[in-house]
Amino acid sequence: MSAVTIRDVAREAGVSVATVSRALNDGAHVTLGTRERVRATAARLGYVPHSGARSLITRRTGTVGVLLPDLYGEFFSELIRGIDQTAQRLGFHMLLASSHSDAREIAAAVGNMRGRVDGFVVMSPDRAAMPALAELARTYPAVVLGAGLEHGSFATIGIGNYEGAVSMTRHLIALGHRDIAFVRGPDGNLEAADRLRGLLDVAGEHRDVTVRDCRGDFRQESGYQATQELLRASARPDVIFCANDAMAIGALGALHEAGVRVPDDVAVCGFDDIPIAQYLTPPLTTVRVPIADLGVSAVEWLVDALTNGAPIDARRAVVPTSLVVRASCGASRRDPLRRTAL
């Protein structure tokens, strides 16, 4: 017996092939009565669309929607790896989009995925995006990464950003560094704010420690540009503490171009411990975030809610960070000659 085709469904339901496609995929310009008739006909004939016969019965797609601020860089590659591998292990597919943490882009992406996914994993640590995320969670099961635990309308997995910055700052001060340049993350980013707050709280405990606040946006180019500006100052800092590893890579590039030795002249450290960090020259001292594990936990929470009906809205977790000491952050020699401008 030959397989039932979409043309068979269209003929039996008395509609066009295009109408069948729109009705089965929650498309526009299809009345409720037509949609129900097409679906009933497809189910009766045993028609199997792209997402499989099961979705006709359960109204499930077997797909997880994933919205990330960006798709570029090792941090997001690691996060996607954790999400994708876990989704496949649990019998789900992944539909991926970039939102740039913009509320309008989040709404647009959700609209484009409507009817194509069963729930969402979203990373959007920007304050301005919180209302859009709350609206998303009212419509779909959703797990949000990096939003901060104070936002109680959706399931949240946070990162120990504050604690990681505290550990790194204490390490720098113990090494003898007193002039710390901090290349921060984007304005409005909750994770970036927690990292800066951890640094400032520890620095504030020491009268002889100064902090230079340098503009950054988590991109490699901003670390490079901030370091160039620091090298034009009348005195170099002891250490450049970048709020993520991508900016630390940019900082290392600027220092190398200027002939500044790391860590002999200026130390450098980062945050995240992306895979390439250990292979840089010199290897990068950083704060380890279990990036792939974030994706694993988010998908496990979401699939548990989808398949077992487990309550999800009130779930909260913070993934701890840890200090990783490598060669890029040796002790300051406190040599006055190294603190003069180039």
Side-chain angles (χ1 to χ4, degrees), residues 40-325:
T41 302
R44 176 169 55 82
L45 295 178
Y47 171 64
V48 181
H50 294 301
S51 57
R54 182 182 64 171
S55 62
L56 287 175
I57 301 171
T58 64
R59 301 290 180 93
R60 294 256 179 91
T61 66
T63 303
V64 173
V66 180
L67 299 180
L68 301 179
D70 203 340
L71 304 181
Y72 173 77
E74 283 203 78
F75 181 94
F76 294 111
S77 295
E78 278 293 287
L79 183 59
I80 292 168
R81 181 174 67 86
I83 292 171
D84 185 49
Q85 289 181 350
T86 308
Q88 289 190 36
R89 171 170 58 85
L90 297 176
F92 280 72
H93 299 289
M94 176 185 71
L95 186 59
L96 180 64
S98 174
S99 68
H100 305 289
S101 289
D102 181 85
R104 289 172 298 181
E105 292 193 31
I106 291 173
V110 170
N112 289 333
M113 292 186 183
R114 191 175 303 279
R116 302 165 66 190
V117 301
D118 299 325
F120 283 89
V121 172
V122 184
M123 186 172 207
S124 186
D126 194 282
R127 288 187 180 90
M130 294 304 113
L133 297 179
E135 179 63 28
L136 168 63
R138 283 192 287 270
T139 308
Y140 283 94
V143 179
V144 179
L145 302 175
L149 300 185
E150 67 274 16
H151 300 282
S153 58
F154 39 74
T156 302
I157 301 177
I159 298 169
N161 294 292
Y162 176 85
E163 294 79 6
V166 165
S167 295
M168 178 62 80
T169 307
R170 287 176 176 163
H171 174 67
L172 299 177
I173 292 173
L175 290 175
H177 300 309
R178 293 296 182 269
D179 186 350
I180 302 173
F182 185 73
V183 185
R184 53 188 166 91
D187 294 339
N189 185 288
L190 295 166
E191 293 186 325
D194 281 346
R195 294 174 189 185
L196 175 59
R197 184 166 57 87
L199 164 67
L200 293 177
D201 283 355
V202 175
E205 299 171 358
H206 301 266
R207 292 183 178 180
D208 60 339
V209 172
T210 60
V211 175
R212 308 190 200 186
D213 185 7
C214 307
R215 183 176 297 277
D217 60 13
F218 281 164
R219 294 181 303 121
Q220 187 171 316
E221 293 84 355
S222 67
Y224 178 87
Q225 292 167 0
T227 301
Q228 285 189 318
E229 291 181 11
L230 287 168
L231 293 176
R232 288 194 289 267
S234 59
R236 300 175 190 160
D238 294 333
V239 57
I240 302 173
F241 180 3
C242 295
N244 75 347
D245 288 350
M247 294 192 297
I249 291 172
L252 287 171
L255 293 170
H256 177 74
E257 284 185 6
V260 178
R261 300 171 300 167
V262 178
D264 302 67
D265 299 327
V266 176
V268 176
C269 58
F271 206 112
D272 286 337
D273 196 28
I274 59 177
I276 200 174
Q278 62 184 310
Y279 302 113
L280 297 172
T281 304
L284 184 66
T285 291
T286 186
V287 176
R288 176 173 295 154
V289 176
I291 304 169
D293 290 348
L294 286 173
V296 171
S297 297
V299 175
E300 288 179 342
W301 281 19
L302 184 59
V303 172
D304 189 30
L306 293 172
T307 59
N308 302 319
I312 193 171
D313 290 353
R315 298 195 71 169
R316 303 284 183 272
V318 176
V319 176
T321 55
S322 57
L323 180 66
V324 180
V325 178

